[in-house]
Amino acid sequence: MLIVGSGFFTHNLAALRHTGGGVPTWSSEFDDWGRLALENRDWDSLLDFLHKAPAGRYAHPRTEHFAPLFVTMGTAEVFGELDAQKSVIDGFWLGLAKRSVQFG
């Protein structure tokens, strides 16, 4: 079975107007926080990302853009593969984090 939860790890489309060089701090900090939360299996912090993550509300002005991660995490838990996870894509595009996670 293949479940795809599609979306960027940060998703503030207004930030696409970012005119400075490099990656905005809010995006890199949220991405780093999320990477560490995933590595540490800190599911509770991920679920409460609006309060636990640096710039959580800025990284995801609308929470449904982070929800695909939870759908895939839930499916992985049902099949006993939640702990078998790895980042398969990382980096940034126009200041948004592209991190993608594979379970199983």
Side-chain angles (χ1 to χ4, degrees):
M1 177 178 295
L2 174 67
I3 304 291
V4 176
S6 179
F8 274 47
F9 209 67
T10 58
H11 201 279
N12 185 336
L13 295 180
L16 292 178
R17 296 187 208 109
H18 173 68
T19 57
V23 176
T25 303
W26 62 264
S27 187
S28 62
E29 287 179 354
F30 184 92
D31 181 63
D32 189 51
W33 170 85
R35 178 186 57 78
L36 290 172
L38 285 163
E39 287 176 3
N40 293 322
R41 275 68 171 157
D42 189 355
W43 315 129
D44 291 334
S45 287
L46 285 166
L47 288 168
D48 194 20
F49 73 95
L50 290 176
H51 300 105
K52 304 281 175 119
R57 177 62 68 186
Y58 200 79
H60 289 280
R62 299 182 54 115
T63 58
E64 73 268 15
H65 292 266
F66 203 50
L69 175 63
F70 307 131
V71 172
T72 55
M73 286 170 53
T75 303
E77 173 65 16
V78 168
F79 288 99
E81 298 180 343
L82 187 58
D83 286 330
Q85 55 97 2
K86 62 182 175 181
S87 288
V88 293
I89 297 173
D90 61 7
F92 297 87
W93 178 76
L94 293 177
L96 300 178
K98 304 185 300 182
R99 181 168 311 284
S100 293
V101 182
Q102 177 181 325
F103 295 95

